[in-house]
């Protein structure tokens, strides 16, 4: 049974991606273009050289963190839709430390990222506290906090830390920016941190007693409570850790790529992270893979448009279809009738193999 479930968790995202590309190909064909040639431009634009691969990884980096943040909370059965706000609050903390304290170099990077992680965790704790103490819906609270964080960031770059006449903050000093992995492969070390974090979270979720408790609460909070688990404490900790992951992602994005706050910073990262986590079936390693896939689509979209005169909105459609098919497919395979069909089919194949 476990093997069958593992196969289904892998099969649903793969089929979703395949179906999205097929429909995307039909749309491209209706535009009078060759779908295979168009997809060739798409992947060439994202993976055609080491510099393009580096740029694709940079695009995927913030999505890895917001995806991991969503996956961690959802594994506990709570819905943190505030990843964008926590991401932004981590970035605000980092820009203040890196540009206003006089600390530079490696100490500035370390302190900024740690502080951004801490503030992201505090921001994530707010919907958690309101949920366990007042019973408020965490989805509504976390979404509202996104707007609060965005408006606060606007106050920062248009007023408090405005850089002259331009509505943006001063840039992080060169010596306080995250270094690239190498001169020939110019992607900052944030991508390495994201991948290592995913491995740590995978181990924590599936190979530790604390991770088992978190998943147990996510599967059935009432049963977990009757078995002696501190359900409210686990829920609150899941919000704090989820917010901390998103806040770390914001700090790393600021130090590695953006370097300053401005209009539009962080737009969509939180909700994209939710979609990525759902497509990946809440698996941390799968989250990294899906985030990289989204990075490929976004980086290759401009090359597709330039080479084939196909609008980048086609890539947006493909991305949206992957989300729709993955969520619908996950819901479908959980239906009792579908599970019964696969149970009978799977058992029959196994018996034939034994014979």
């Amino acid at each position: 049974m476990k093997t069958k479930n593992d196969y289904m968790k892998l099969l649903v995202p793969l089929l979703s991606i395949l179906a999205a590309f097929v429909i995307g190909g039909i749309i491209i064909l209706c535009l009078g273009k060759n779908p295979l040639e168009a997809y060739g431009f798409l992947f060439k634009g994202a993976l055609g050289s080491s510099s393009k691969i580096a740029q694709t990884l940079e695009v995927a980096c913030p999505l890895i963190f917001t995806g991991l943040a969503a996956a961690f909370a959802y594994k506990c059965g709570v819905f943190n839709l505030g990843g964008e706000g926590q991401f932004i609050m981590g970035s605000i903390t980092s820009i203040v430390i890196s540009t206003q304290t006089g600390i530079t170099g490696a100490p500035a990077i370390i302190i900024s990222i740690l502080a951004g992680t801490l503030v992201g965790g505090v921001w994530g704790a707010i919907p958690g506290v309101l949920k366990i103490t007042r019973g408020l819906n965490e989805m509504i609270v976390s979404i509202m906090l996104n707007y609060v964080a965005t408006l606060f960031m606007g106050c920062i770059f248009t007023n408090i830390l405005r850089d002259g006449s331009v509505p943006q903050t001063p840039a992080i000093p060169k010596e306080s920016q995250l270094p690239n992995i190498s001169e020939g492969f110019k992607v900052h070390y944030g991508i390495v941190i994201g991948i290592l974090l995913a491995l740590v979270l995978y181990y924590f979720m599936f190979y530790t007693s604390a991770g088992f408790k978190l998943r147990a609460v996510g599967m059935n909070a009432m049963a977990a409570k009757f078995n002696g688990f501190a359900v409210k404490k686990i829920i609150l900790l899941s919000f704090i850790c989820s917010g901390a992951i998103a806040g770390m992602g914001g700090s790393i994005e600021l130090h590695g790529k953006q370097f300053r706050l401005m209009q539009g910073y962080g737009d969509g990262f939180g909700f994209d992270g939710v979609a990525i986590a759902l497509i990946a079936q809440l698996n941390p390693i799968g989250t990294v893979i899906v985030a990289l896939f989204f990075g490929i689509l976004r980086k290759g979209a401009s090359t597709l448009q330039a080479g084939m005169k196909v609008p980048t909105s086609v890539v947006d459609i493909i991305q949206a279809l992957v989300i729709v098919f993955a969520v619908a497919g996950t819901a479908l395979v959980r239906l009792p009738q579908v599970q019964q069909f696969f149970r009978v089919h799977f058992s029959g194949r196994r018996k034939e193999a034994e014979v």
Side-chain angles (χ1 to χ4, degrees):
M1 185 64 67
K2 186 175 184 299
T3 303
K4 184 198 74 172
N5 290 335
D6 291 341
Y7 283 145
M8 293 306 301
K9 287 181 178 180
L10 180 63
L11 192 60
V12 168
L14 290 178
L15 290 178
S16 300
I17 292 171
L18 179 61
F21 270 107
V22 169
I23 295 177
I26 294 173
I27 295 173
I28 293 172
L29 194 62
C30 292
L31 294 173
K33 309 294 182 180
N34 185 331
L36 294 180
E37 187 179 356
Y39 287 145
F41 274 101
L42 175 69
F43 286 103
K44 183 180 179 180
L47 305 172
S49 65
S50 61
S51 63
K52 291 179 179 178
I53 293 174
Q55 292 169 15
T56 298
L57 291 175
E58 282 197 341
V59 172
C61 186
L63 301 177
I64 290 175
F65 284 96
T66 54
L68 291 174
F72 191 91
Y74 286 22
K75 266 297 181 184
C76 191
V78 294
F79 301 97
N80 177 20
L81 299 181
E84 184 172 312
Q86 294 143 18
F87 184 94
I88 289 172
M89 291 304 294
S91 301
I92 292 172
T93 305
S94 289
I95 199 69
V96 171
I97 292 175
S98 297
T99 62
Q100 303 301 309
T101 62
I103 305 172
T104 59
I109 297 174
I110 295 171
I111 294 173
S112 292
I113 292 177
L114 291 178
T117 302
L118 177 63
V119 172
V122 171
W123 202 251
I126 297 174
V129 170
L130 293 176
K131 178 179 177 63
I132 65 176
T133 60
R134 309 301 298 174
L136 297 182
N137 188 301
E138 72 273 19
M139 291 187 289
I140 296 175
V141 175
S142 57
I143 289 175
M144 292 300 102
L145 286 173
N146 287 341
Y147 291 103
V148 174
T150 301
L151 292 172
F152 180 50
M153 179 182 68
C155 180
I156 294 291
F157 68 73
T158 60
N159 188 358
I160 300 175
L161 296 181
R162 186 181 181 121
D163 187 17
S165 61
V166 183
Q168 61 184 20
T169 64
I172 290 177
K174 182 72 174 179
E175 59 272 19
S176 299
Q177 297 174 9
L178 273 173
N180 293 326
I181 293 177
S182 70
E183 284 299 320
F185 193 60
K186 293 187 176 182
V187 58
H188 59 77
Y189 275 99
I191 190 70
V192 178
I193 297 173
I195 294 172
L196 291 177
L197 179 61
L199 295 175
V200 170
L201 290 178
Y202 181 84
Y203 178 81
F204 171 81
M205 286 182 181
F206 298 104
Y207 292 96
T208 67
S209 59
F212 170 76
K213 291 179 181 179
L214 182 139
R215 290 185 290 116
V217 172
M219 287 185 285
N220 193 321
M222 187 63 68
K225 183 177 180 179
F226 278 110
N227 278 278
F229 294 170
V231 173
K232 289 186 176 181
K233 179 181 177 181
I234 293 172
I235 288 174
L236 179 58
L237 287 175
S238 72
F239 272 107
I240 293 173
C241 292
S242 177
I245 294 168
M248 179 187 291
S251 295
I252 287 174
E253 177 71 1
L254 188 74
H255 281 275
K257 182 181 178 184
Q258 299 291 345
F259 307 131
R260 65 173 82 226
L261 300 180
M262 62 185 71
Q263 185 67 39
Y265 176 86
D267 278 357
F269 284 156
F271 291 106
D272 286 340
V274 171
I276 288 167
L278 292 175
I279 294 171
Q281 309 286 305
L282 307 184
N283 184 299
I285 296 176
T287 297
V288 173
I289 295 172
V290 176
L292 292 175
F293 171 71
F294 271 46
I296 290 171
L297 290 180
R298 295 183 178 186
K299 180 62 183 69
S302 57
T303 304
L304 173 63
Q305 184 179 37
M308 294 288 294
K309 307 302 180 185
V310 173
T312 56
S313 56
V314 172
V315 175
D316 295 332
I317 293 172
I318 293 173
Q319 180 177 300
L321 288 173
V322 172
I323 297 170
V324 171
F325 289 147
V327 174
T330 301
L332 181 65
V333 297
R334 289 178 178 175
L335 292 174
Q337 302 93 322
V338 177
Q339 289 186 343
Q340 179 64 23
F341 170 80
F342 281 108
R343 189 179 297 114
V344 172
H345 183 74
F346 183 78
S347 300
R349 287 286 183 87
R350 185 170 58 187
K351 288 180 181 179
E352 289 177 4
E354 290 176 352
V355 173

